[in-house]
Amino acid sequence: MVDAAPLYEDCAEAPENGFAHWVTTADGVRIRVAYWRGGDKGTVFIFPGRTEYIEKYGPAAGEFLARGYSPVVIDWRGQGLADRLIDDPNLGHIDHFSSYQNDVQAALEFVHKLDLPKPYMMCAHSMGGCIGLRTLMGNHEFKAAAFSAPMWGVLIKPDVLRPVAWAISSAASVLGGGGRKAPGTDAETYVVANPYDDNLLTKDRDMFDMMKTQATQHPDLMIAAPTVQWVGQSLREMLELSKQPSPSIPSITHLGHDERIVDPKRIKDRMERWTNGKLVDVPAAEHEIMMEIPATRDAFYDDAMALFDTQL
């Protein structure tokens, strides 16, 4: 029997009657999975980005449910309320990037038991887009995928520091320092450490304030800086993925024109090589497409639904 887990409905702005459960992966890590019933068309698995957590996607769950799909959201290992992997709970860490696939598999097996409707669709943001792309390159159950600013490359400025990031992460992993905070990264959660003005996430003040409220009301959901190990593992994963052909399933990717976190060049290259994929350049948008101004959010959900509905 899977045990019930907390779902902070006081700050999630999510639909009513959501449920969260603890799910244990094949390698013994406890993650958290939430779901909402009521969408009969199919089930959308939301893959969050780095530092993110289920409650942040409460509004997204409502959007998918209103459009006829039952949403499922995952707390990846090392963040949200899932098991933290090192002693310092403030740092985002991973042993091997492939370990996230254990979380995907555990979530799928859990949803099978819930008998949520098929077909399964994927909605993946930032780091979730990196995890999701790896999933789609193997055996999987998804019929279509919608990506929001997927982390298929990251911006490191100035670019001359990229080799330094590689060198530090490689050396630290060998010497046993992979669990330390990555140099030059924030020790506080981004929305707490930074003001709304000129933030890298969204041009919607209300959504930024929602994220800040979640961070202050429930700090146990938060992580901040990545570890050196996480940086090294993510760089290797993104490089390896860039060498692989695109999956065969239909997809759509929305990329903000003002993106300053992930690498637009890597995203454009991938989508140019995705035969039945479409790239949408979103004017005046930052990184968080699903947390952007209402018109930007609506366009993403409408495009995702148009794609998903072709697979029914």
Side-chain angles (χ1 to χ4, degrees):
M1 189 70 176
V2 179
D3 293 331
L7 180 62
Y8 297 143
E9 295 178 293
D10 59 317
C11 68
E13 299 187 15
E16 295 181 355
N17 299 318
F19 299 91
H21 290 268
W22 301 120
V23 176
T24 301
T25 67
D27 57 340
V29 176
R30 191 178 74 166
I31 64 172
R32 186 174 59 137
V33 179
Y35 66 94
W36 290 259
R37 293 187 183 274
D40 297 327
K41 289 182 178 179
T43 299
V44 176
F45 285 73
I46 300 175
F47 286 15
R50 197 192 81 80
T51 79
E52 296 186 331
Y53 44 89
I54 289 167
E55 285 78 3
K56 184 173 178 178
Y57 286 89
E63 294 287 351
F64 286 122
L65 195 59
R67 289 166 169 81
Y69 287 85
S70 294
V72 172
V73 194
I74 304 168
D75 266 356
W76 303 119
R77 61 183 60 205
Q79 59 191 61
L81 295 184
D83 281 350
R84 303 296 168 95
L85 306 178
I86 56 176
D87 291 340
D88 187 344
N90 194 47
L91 299 180
H93 184 73
I94 195 67
D95 51 356
H96 301 286
F97 219 85
S98 59
S99 296
Y100 289 121
Q101 297 304 316
N102 292 331
D103 301 354
V104 175
Q105 187 59 38
L108 282 164
E109 291 173 1
F110 172 62
V111 169
H112 290 163
K113 296 174 183 177
L114 295 175
D115 198 28
L116 290 177
K118 290 188 175 183
Y120 294 163
M121 310 296 180
M122 179 187 294
C123 174
H125 172 66
S126 198
M127 185 188 82
C130 185
I131 297 169
L133 182 58
R134 175 61 72 185
T135 300
L136 297 177
M137 287 181 173
N139 294 322
H140 64 86
E141 302 179 57
F142 296 99
K143 296 300 183 182
F147 294 100
S148 159
M151 193 189 80
W152 297 335
V154 292
L155 294 175
I156 298 177
K157 302 219 174 172
D159 200 52
V160 294
L161 292 180
R162 189 174 297 272
V164 177
W166 275 96
I168 291 175
S169 61
S170 297
S173 297
V174 172
L175 299 174
R180 297 178 180 176
K181 185 175 84 71
T185 55
D186 287 337
E188 280 190 293
T189 300
Y190 183 84
V191 294
V192 173
N194 294 274
Y196 167 75
D197 293 341
D198 198 36
N199 78 88
L200 304 179
L201 302 180
T202 177
K203 297 184 187 298
D204 189 301
R205 182 62 181 260
D206 290 340
M207 296 301 277
F208 188 87
D209 288 346
M210 181 194 78
M211 290 184 273
K212 185 180 287 287
T213 297
Q214 291 172 343
T216 54
Q217 288 186 352
H218 296 286
D220 53 336
L221 293 171
M222 302 296 131
I223 62 171
T227 63
V228 171
Q229 177 84 358
W230 186 93
V231 171
Q233 283 293 311
S234 65
L235 289 173
R236 285 169 177 79
E237 177 71 347
M238 289 182 285
L239 180 61
E240 176 59 29
L241 288 174
S242 72
K243 300 175 182 178
Q244 304 300 318
S246 297
S248 59
I249 75 168
S251 71
I252 191 166
T253 295
H254 277 221
L255 174 64
H257 191 76
D258 297 336
E259 175 65 53
R260 292 179 284 172
I261 295 177
V262 297
D263 188 351
K265 290 182 180 179
R266 281 276 184 92
I267 294 171
K268 292 173 183 177
D269 175 71
R270 167 61 60 192
M271 296 312 295
E272 286 173 359
R273 295 186 287 130
W274 202 313
T275 302
N276 50 352
K278 178 183 177 183
L279 176 64
V280 178
D281 180 48
V282 184
E286 297 281 356
H287 183 60
E288 299 270 7
I289 299 297
M290 286 181 276
M291 315 288 165
E292 265 291 358
I293 62 173
T296 297
R297 300 197 302 265
D298 289 345
F300 175 79
Y301 293 121
D302 289 347
D303 280 357
M305 291 307 100
L307 173 66
F308 295 166
D309 286 352
T310 65
Q311 303 304 305
L312 301 181

